[in-house]
Amino acid sequence: MSFVLTSLPQTWPWLILMAALTAGWAGRRGLAFALLAAFAGAAVASGHLTPLALMALVTGLLFAAFIPRTRGPAGLIGHAVLVLWSLALGAHLLPGVQNLSVLDQVRATPASAPYSLHLNIDKPLVFFSLLLAWPALLQRNDPAGRPALAAGLLLLAALLPLALLTGALRLDPGLPEWTLLWMASNLLLTCLAEEAFFRGYLQQGLCRRFGPAAGIATASLLFGLAHIGAGPAVAAFATFLGLACGLGYWGAGRFRVPVMMHFAFNLTHLLLFTYPGPA
């Protein structure tokens, strides 16, 4: 808690963004976008967002809001642009966005590799874009049933022990002083945005068009490819994590399930193993 309090002079605008994400996740869109506007003002005032970048983000949101009204070829083009926009935000490619560095090359435990943490502005905007462009994002789907959910949970539970057996991780329990801030950031700024794109949007859309097997497999592979920059081993584990979350989403029919599965995996990794990997 002390780390959270001492970092408040720099991190307080992100508390507004986290509140906006929480409201959006709860389905309170009006409140979510009001809080997002307040955060945008604070980010511009603090120099973390240039006016030009703010205009680009607003334009992207307005474009996303227009997508549900399109049909046919125009709709396909709209969704293609939305995918590219989301990938650009997730890869931090939009100029004029200065994400806040709160940890720089620290170690979660003595045996862990150095780790840096940024509080992002751009990646969370993926969630808000999809909230406008994909009305089905938060809707409950018909659940496939307990066997699919159980398969996803079993696969999820097997991933970290598998990483331990292959030497990708080492058992090294610890509780870093920055855990609380990391938890809020990881759940709302990372897991929520990534699951909205890969499960709530891509998997759901692909399942509707090509069936569950193709939808879950494709979204999982794309999730793995999105992590290829961290190396082939991380990409492979990310693919299986995506598969576990995809099965959980399909089995339960609720968007919150893959978000919490993803977060539980990341939190267990932080608290019990070398994070993000062994030194």
Side-chain angles (χ1 to χ4, degrees):
M1 180 61 74
S2 61
F3 183 87
V4 173
L5 293 176
T6 57
S7 64
L8 270 179
Q10 291 77 42
T11 61
W12 68 265
W14 276 263
L15 299 182
I16 303 174
L17 177 58
M18 291 177 187
L21 289 161
T22 302
W25 191 5
R28 301 190 62 183
R29 295 187 6 155
L31 177 59
F33 284 100
L35 289 168
L36 181 61
F39 167 74
V44 171
S46 59
H48 289 285
L49 195 62
T50 66
L52 189 60
L54 176 61
M55 290 178 59
L57 291 173
V58 170
T59 301
L61 290 173
L62 291 174
F63 179 84
F66 180 72
I67 289 177
R69 299 182 176 90
T70 60
R71 297 291 184 271
L76 292 175
I77 293 171
H79 282 284
V81 173
L82 178 64
V83 168
L84 293 175
W85 169 253
S86 299
L87 292 175
L89 290 176
H92 315 300
L93 297 180
L94 186 67
V97 177
Q98 186 64 44
N99 294 318
L100 178 66
S101 175
V102 290
L103 299 174
D104 184 25
Q105 296 296 294
V106 301
R107 294 182 187 271
T109 59
S112 294
Y115 169 69
S116 298
L117 173 65
H118 290 80
L119 298 185
N120 294 322
I121 297 173
D122 38 19
K123 183 181 283 190
L125 264 292
V126 173
F127 173 76
F128 291 106
S129 298
L130 294 173
L131 201 59
L132 294 169
W134 188 247
L137 179 65
L138 301 179
Q139 292 176 5
R140 183 176 183 181
N141 300 318
D142 291 333
R146 291 182 180 178
L149 176 59
L153 292 173
L154 286 172
L155 178 57
L156 185 74
L159 287 177
L160 289 171
L162 180 61
L164 190 63
L165 289 173
T166 59
L169 295 178
R170 290 167 54 188
L171 190 64
D172 192 20
L175 185 66
E177 62 174 352
W178 37 266
T179 297
L180 189 60
L181 180 61
W182 178 94
M183 288 174 64
S185 170
N186 194 261
L187 174 61
L188 295 170
L189 306 184
T190 299
C191 294
L192 181 60
E194 291 184 356
E195 292 305 313
F197 181 70
F198 287 101
R199 250 62 63 185
Y201 176 56
L202 284 184
Q203 177 177 310
Q204 189 176 177
L206 290 169
C207 284
R208 289 181 178 186
R209 190 170 183 85
F210 302 107
I216 295 171
T218 303
S220 301
L221 286 171
L222 292 174
F223 184 66
L225 287 174
H227 291 79
I228 196 66
V234 172
F237 277 101
T239 299
F240 285 111
L241 173 60
L243 180 59
C245 292
L247 287 169
Y249 183 36
W250 181 48
R254 294 175 179 268
F255 173 65
R256 67 170 180 258
V257 170
V259 177
M260 298 311 298
M261 288 175 67
H262 191 164
F263 176 66
F265 174 87
N266 289 349
L267 182 60
T268 305
H269 181 184
L270 172 69
L271 297 180
L272 297 181
F273 299 86
T274 47
Y275 187 90

